[in-house]
Amino acid sequence: MKPAAALNAATLCIFIVLGLSLADKGWAQPSSTTPRVIEALDNIRNVTRPRQDGYATIWEGQAFVQCHALSDQSLSCEAAGATMQPALAQILTPDRKQRLTALGWRLDPSFGAYTQTFSPTLGLDQAADRILSALNQGYGADLTRIDVQTRWVGHQTCPPRHGPGQTLAGLVDDDPVMAATSVHGCTYSGPALQPANGSGGINLMPSNQGTNPYFAGLPVAPEPVATEVVVNDPVAVREPRRRRARRPRASSGRRESTSKRSRSGGHSSHHK
């Protein structure tokens, strides 16, 4: 075999092995997925709606990436984290977290999501490829089952999000139906607490309650102590008082002598 032919054969083998390796790892992206992601990103970047912000969500299962366009046309994106979805802790293994880091995603403590901003000069096709790579490499998402949705929400500094326990927790959504169980605020750091009055509603702990000295200094109510209460009759019954024993009076000598003298005097006067 000629040297040039041998070199070409070796190069071909390398590309075949590399292609199989990439396919095994799921890096090859279906052609039907990328165009839908590009369309959603183009919508939120180039469509303008007064006092509304567009969000493009790309997800499979509970793993998602949501992006919205900033004023300079850059795309601010975040991928789901285990803070809002504890079940993702089993999916986001240390190896997959390293893959997200290698793809340019960084953990944001505000909501425990992984964030990345794509510059306005980055092509939408490239942004779509990076989003799909994050879903596949970081969460093991099946790229043949990707869903894409565009949502417009009222402009707010910190828009409401799906609360813990909801589908796609952490997703920005101002649907009034979800308001009662949504997270309202700019940060979230803990699970929901049950209200002390036992009303059964969801009372989300403020994000800084765990570290705020104000909450740490609040007095803790003592636990109630069970006491036995016996009720026989609604009307209180008083026990009769014991009568004190009366002492016999001692007769005085003066009274006795007077009585005798009175009787004798009377007889003598009668006889007269």
Side-chain angles (χ1 to χ4, degrees), residues 18 29 36 40 53 61 89 129 131 143 150 156 158 182 190 226 243 248:
L18 181 59
Q29 301 168 6
R36 290 189 292 141
D53 297 321
D129 288 344
I131 291 170
L143 298 185
T150 302
Q156 298 182 43
C158 302
S182 296
R243 299 183 64 181

Side-chain angles (χ1 to χ4, degrees), residues 5 17 64 83 95 97 122 145 148 161-162 167 173-174 190 203 237 253 271:
V17 172
F64 69 87
T83 300
D95 178 61
K97 290 179 181 178
L122 183 70
R145 303 177 61 183
V148 182
R161 297 167 177 260
H162 288 191
T167 301
D173 188 0
D174 62 354
N203 181 18
V237 179
H271 287 297

